[in-house]
Amino acid sequence: MRQVVMHGPGNVQVEQRQDPKIIEPTDAIIRLSATCICGSDLWPYRGAEPVDHQVMGHEYVGVVEQIGDDVHTVEVGDFVVGSFWASDNTCEICRAGYQAYCVHRVLMGTIGTQAERARVPLADGTLVATPGMPDPSLIPSLMAASDVLGTGWFAAVAAEAGPGKTVAVVGDGAVGLLGVLAAKQLGAERIIAVSRHADRQALAREFGATDIVEERGDAGVARVKDLTDGLGAHSVIEAVGTQEAMMQAIRSTRPGGHVGFVGVSHDVAIPGDELFMAGVHLHGGPAPVRRFLPELVQLIWDRKIDPGKVFDLTLPLDRAAEGYRAMDERTAVKVLLTV
Amino acid sequence: MRQVVMHGPGNVQVEQRQDPKIIEPTDAIIRLSATCICGSDLWPYRGAEPVDHQVMGHEYVGVVEQIGDDVHTVEVGDFVVGSFWASDNTCEICRAGYQAYCVHRVLMGTIGTQAERARVPLADGTLVATPGMPDPSLIPSLMAASDVLGTGWFAAVAAEAGPGKTVAVVGDGAVGLLGVLAAKQLGAERIIAVSRHADRQALAREFGATDIVEERGDAGVARVKDLTDGLGAHSVIEAVGTQEAMMQAIRSTRPGGHVGFVGVSHDVAIPGDELFMAGVHLHGGPAPVRRFLPELVQLIWDRKIDPGKVFDLTLPLDRAAEGYRAMDERTAVKVLLTV
C-alpha cells in the first residue's frame, strides 16, 4: 500500500509499504477514505522536533476491512471515526473521560494513518461507527472530528465555555477555528477570535466569532480586556503552543476564569509567581477526543455543524508533499488527503 | 497602640504607633482579640522577599470599635473575622467567588494586623460577624479561618476534593494540615499527607489523613503512585510554593485530576511540555477566603471542626519576635499572638 513517510525535515514522500495485519485480537484494519495533515505534523517538518523516516498521520476515517477475534462493537463494512490515541475506553482513566491517557493507549502517529490502510489497536474502545455509510459531503467533517474538531471541542470544554460566557480564542489554525465553533455550540455569549488573516477571520465569524482581535501578545491582552470591562474573558482557548500564546491566554483570562490549552507546547515555561497571582484555572494537553466522538459524529450526521470547512485544500494522498508545503507556508489552513 | 514592624530580615520589633482612624466611610476599626504569624511572613523574614520597616500581619479577629457612615452589615461591638484581602463582595469578580481579586481589593498586609487595632477597608464586604461573642476556646479556630483554614479549604476545593476521591497534600505547614481537614470535611475517601515530622503527621492524622508519605520529590511521587494503582491521586494540594513541591504535586496527580496550589510561589517555572503531557487541572493562587468564611465560621461555632489546633505556640503580641523565630526554626507550626 501507499504510505506517507517523512524522511527528514521538509522531506515528505509517498512510498510503497506492506499492508498492515492484525497483530492483537483487539485490532481492526481499516481502509481509509480520507486522512489529513495536522498542525502538529509541521513541528518535525520544520525541524522543531526530530524526525527520521517516520510514518506520518494520526487522523483517519474509513471502512473496517478486517477485525480481530476480540472485536465486538464494530463490524467489517462499518464506516468508522477514531481519535489519534487508541484507547480501551474501559480503564479508570478512560471512564473519567481522559482516553488520551488510557492505561493501554497507543499513539496512532506511530502507526501512521496517512496511508491507504491502517491497523487500529483497541478497536472496540477506539472506533465509533457512523449510523450508516456517509454521504461524501460529510467526509471532511467526520475527518475533522478525528482530531481538530475533537481538540477544539476539548479546549472549549476545558475553558468552560458556556452560556453567559465571553470566550477568547488564541490561535487561528484549524483547532482554534473549531474552538470557536465548539464555544458557539456550547452556548457562549460572546466569542473573540484572535487572528490577523482575513480568510481565517471570515471562517471564525462563520463559526460564531462575534469579535476579532488582530493584536498579539500584550497588545492582544489589552484588546481583550477592553472588550470585557477590564476584567478579561471568562474562558480562553490556547491553540498555538508557544510561550507568547500561552502567556497571552493566561493574561487574557479574568481571575477565576478558565484557560483551555491544546497547542502542543514547545519551549514554554509558565512563571509560577504570575500564574499564582493570575488566579486562573489551567487545563489542557492532548485532547481526549474519544470522549466527545459520539456526540460530534451525531452533530455532523444531523448537519448541525460543518467543521469540514476548515479544509481549504484537498489533494490525493500521492500529493501529500504539496499539502505539507501549503500548510507550512500557511497558504492552506488544513489539508485533506483523499485515499 | 502597639504594632509589629519588620525592620529587616530577621529583625522583628513591637513599636508604639498611631491608632488607626476611619479614612473611607466604608472602613471599620477593630480592636484585635488575636492575630497570628503566617508562613508567608517568613519569606521576608528569611530575606527571600525585600522588607524595610514593614508593618506585618494580615490575619485578624476582633471586636468592631468604630464604623464609617457607609457601613451597614456590621455594628460596633460585633465580633468579626475577615480575610487577608479586603473586598467589596459585590463586584463581578467577587460574585464569581474570587474575592481575593475584587476590583477594589486592599491587601490587609499593607495595613498590618499584628497590632492592637486595625483599619478594615470595605468592612461590609470584608467582615463576617460571629453569631455572638465567642467563647475564648473558639478564638484560635476563628483566627485560623482568617487565612490558613480558608486557604487550605480553597486548595481542597480547587483540587476538587470530594467523595470517592484520593487527595494528596504536599506541605505539612498549617495550610497543608488544614488542607487535610478540608479534604476530610469535603468527603474525600483517602487523604495522603506528605510529611516527615512526627508531630505534624500526628496532627494530619487527627485532621483526617489516612496515609503518610515521608518522601519528597520524585520519591514522594512514586509513593503516591504506589498507593493509587499507579495512576496518581485524583486531587493534590500544593501548600509550599517551591519548584520541587509544585512538580511533586503535578506529578502526583492522575491525568484529568486536579492540583490546587496555594503555596506562595517562589522561583517556580512550570515546563509547558510536561504540563501539556500531564493532563491535569491546575488552579490556585491567593485564596478567596471570604467566599468560604460564613460556612467556616458556622462549622467552628458548632464545634464541628477545630482548626485552631494548628496553633502550637501562643504568645502575647509583645513577644512577636519569639514567635517569628519559632516558626523560622520550625519549632512551631503556627503562632497565635494574643492582643
Side-chain angles (χ1 to χ4, degrees):
Chain A
M1 69 166 187
R2 289 167 299 146
Q3 179 155 28
V4 173
V5 179
M6 191 180 289
H7 285 227
N11 183 357
V12 167
Q13 302 195 17
V14 180
E15 300 184 353
Q16 279 295 327
R17 293 260 175 145
Q18 285 278 318
D19 274 343
K21 288 186 171 50
I22 299 282
I23 297 173
E24 302 288 339
T26 47
D27 289 347
I29 304 295
I30 61 167
R31 171 85 177 78
L32 281 98
S33 301
T35 180
C36 59
I37 303 171
C38 183
S40 68
D41 294 335
L42 296 181
W43 292 106
Y45 188 81
R46 291 170 172 164
E49 282 177 9
V51 62
D52 179 17
H53 292 79
Q54 169 71 47
V55 294
M56 296 299 296
H58 51 258
E59 295 154 285
Y60 53 101
V61 295
V63 177
V64 177
E65 275 196 342
Q66 202 184 338
I67 57 173
D69 291 341
D70 273 0
V71 174
H72 307 290
T73 66
V74 293
E75 295 178 7
V76 171
D78 280 354
F79 190 91
V80 291
V81 187
S83 142
F84 51 97
W85 282 108
S87 54
D88 63 23
N89 213 25
T90 57
C91 77
E92 196 172 330
I93 300 295
C94 281
R95 280 183 281 124
Y98 284 84
Q99 291 91 340
Y101 299 89
C102 170
V103 298
H104 298 117
R105 67 181 179 174
V106 179
L107 188 54
M108 291 302 295
T110 62
I111 288 169
T113 63
Q114 290 168 5
E116 286 181 273
R117 289 182 175 78
R119 180 176 72 90
V120 180
L122 305 166
D124 276 348
T126 304
L127 297 173
V128 174
T130 55
M133 201 52 62
D135 185 85
S137 64
L138 288 176
I139 300 281
S141 286
L142 292 168
M143 185 72 247
S146 180
D147 181 352
V148 278
L149 173 61
T151 296
W153 199 275
F154 170 61
V157 169
E160 301 216 346
K165 300 279 188 83
T166 294
V167 181
V169 181
V170 179
D172 63 358
V175 170
L177 291 167
L178 291 171
V180 170
L181 179 149
K184 174 75 176 172
Q185 285 293 314
L186 292 167
E189 186 172 302
R190 191 170 186 187
I191 303 170
I192 304 167
V194 178
S195 173
R196 49 179 65 177
H197 302 278
D199 52 341
R200 294 169 189 237
Q201 290 175 2
L203 194 49
R205 286 203 184 272
E206 193 175 335
F207 282 157
T210 54
D211 300 82
I212 302 286
V213 164
E214 299 211 337
E215 294 85 348
R216 287 194 197 160
D218 287 345
V221 172
R223 286 286 296 130
V224 170
K225 293 242 168 129
D226 283 348
L227 292 168
T228 53
D229 297 328
L231 300 177
H234 300 89
S235 304
V236 179
I237 291 172
E238 191 284 329
V240 183
T242 60
Q243 182 75 17
E244 182 184 69
M246 180 61 106
M247 297 318 297
Q248 184 177 348
I250 291 171
R251 292 171 186 159
S252 296
T253 309
R254 67 179 57 194
H258 292 76
V259 178
F261 66 99
V262 291
V264 180
S265 191
H266 281 77
D267 296 323
V268 172
I270 303 166
D273 54 351
E274 180 166 348
L275 187 66
F276 186 85
M277 288 304 170
V280 301
H281 298 74
L282 197 55
H283 182 44
V289 174
R290 181 62 180 80
R291 190 204 308 178
F292 309 108
L293 269 184
E295 180 183 1
L296 300 181
V297 165
Q298 197 62 51
L299 285 168
I300 292 164
W301 198 262
D302 297 340
R303 298 188 185 270
K304 289 187 177 157
I305 57 174
D306 194 0
K309 283 186 178 159
V310 293
F311 293 104
D312 52 354
L313 178 60
T314 298
L315 294 168
L317 182 67
D318 289 338
R319 291 167 62 188
E322 272 176 64
Y324 275 81
R325 202 154 48 238
M327 279 180 64
D328 177 43
E329 292 167 358
R330 289 177 72 90
T331 57
V333 173
K334 180 90 177 160
V335 176
L336 186 80
L337 299 173
T338 54
V339 185
Chain B
M1 67 168 186
R2 289 165 301 143
Q3 179 156 29
V4 173
V5 179
M6 193 180 289
H7 285 229
N11 183 357
V12 168
Q13 301 195 17
V14 180
E15 300 184 352
Q16 280 295 329
R17 295 258 174 149
Q18 285 278 318
D19 275 340
K21 290 189 168 48
I22 299 280
I23 298 173
E24 301 289 338
T26 48
D27 289 346
I29 303 294
I30 61 167
R31 170 86 176 78
L32 281 98
S33 302
T35 179
C36 60
I37 303 172
C38 183
S40 68
D41 294 336
L42 296 181
W43 291 107
Y45 187 81
R46 291 170 173 163
E49 281 177 8
V51 61
D52 179 17
H53 291 80
Q54 169 70 49
V55 293
M56 297 300 295
H58 50 259
E59 296 154 285
Y60 53 100
V61 295
V63 177
V64 177
E65 276 197 342
Q66 202 185 338
I67 56 174
D69 291 341
D70 272 359
V71 174
H72 306 290
T73 66
V74 292
E75 295 178 7
V76 171
D78 280 352
F79 189 91
V80 291
V81 186
S83 144
F84 51 96
W85 283 107
S87 53
D88 63 24
N89 214 24
T90 57
C91 77
E92 196 172 330
I93 300 296
C94 281
R95 280 183 281 123
Y98 283 85
Q99 291 90 341
Y101 299 89
C102 169
V103 299
H104 298 118
R105 68 180 177 174
V106 179
L107 189 54
M108 290 302 295
T110 62
I111 288 170
T113 62
Q114 291 167 4
E116 287 181 272
R117 289 183 175 76
R119 181 176 72 88
V120 180
L122 306 165
D124 276 348
T126 305
L127 297 172
V128 174
T130 54
M133 200 52 60
D135 184 85
S137 65
L138 289 175
I139 300 282
S141 287
L142 291 167
M143 186 69 248
S146 180
D147 180 353
V148 278
L149 173 61
T151 296
W153 199 276
F154 170 61
V157 168
E160 301 216 347
K165 300 279 188 82
T166 294
V167 181
V169 181
V170 179
D172 63 357
V175 171
L177 292 167
L178 291 171
V180 170
L181 179 150
K184 174 74 178 173
Q185 284 293 313
L186 292 166
E189 186 173 301
R190 193 172 184 184
I191 303 170
I192 304 167
V194 179
S195 173
R196 49 178 65 176
H197 301 277
D199 53 340
R200 293 167 192 239
Q201 291 175 3
L203 194 48
R205 286 203 185 271
E206 194 176 335
F207 283 158
T210 54
D211 301 82
I212 302 286
V213 164
E214 298 211 337
E215 293 85 347
R216 287 193 196 161
D218 287 345
V221 173
R223 287 287 297 130
V224 170
K225 293 241 168 129
D226 283 348
L227 292 168
T228 53
D229 297 328
L231 300 177
H234 300 90
S235 304
V236 180
I237 291 172
E238 192 286 326
V240 183
T242 61
Q243 181 76 15
E244 182 184 68
M246 180 61 107
M247 297 318 296
Q248 184 176 347
I250 291 171
R251 292 171 186 160
S252 297
T253 309
R254 66 180 57 196
H258 293 76
V259 178
F261 67 99
V262 292
V264 180
S265 192
H266 281 78
D267 297 323
V268 172
I270 303 166
D273 52 351
E274 180 166 348
L275 188 67
F276 185 84
M277 288 304 170
V280 301
H281 298 75
L282 198 55
H283 181 44
V289 174
R290 180 62 180 81
R291 189 204 309 176
F292 309 109
L293 269 184
E295 180 183 1
L296 299 181
V297 165
Q298 197 62 51
L299 284 169
I300 292 164
W301 198 262
D302 297 340
R303 297 189 186 270
K304 290 185 177 159
I305 57 174
D306 193 0
K309 284 186 179 161
V310 294
F311 293 105
D312 52 355
L313 179 60
T314 298
L315 294 169
L317 183 67
D318 289 337
R319 290 168 63 189
E322 272 176 66
Y324 275 81
R325 203 153 48 235
M327 281 182 64
D328 177 42
E329 293 167 358
R330 289 177 73 87
T331 56
V333 174
K334 181 91 177 159
V335 175
L336 184 82
L337 299 173
T338 54
V339 185

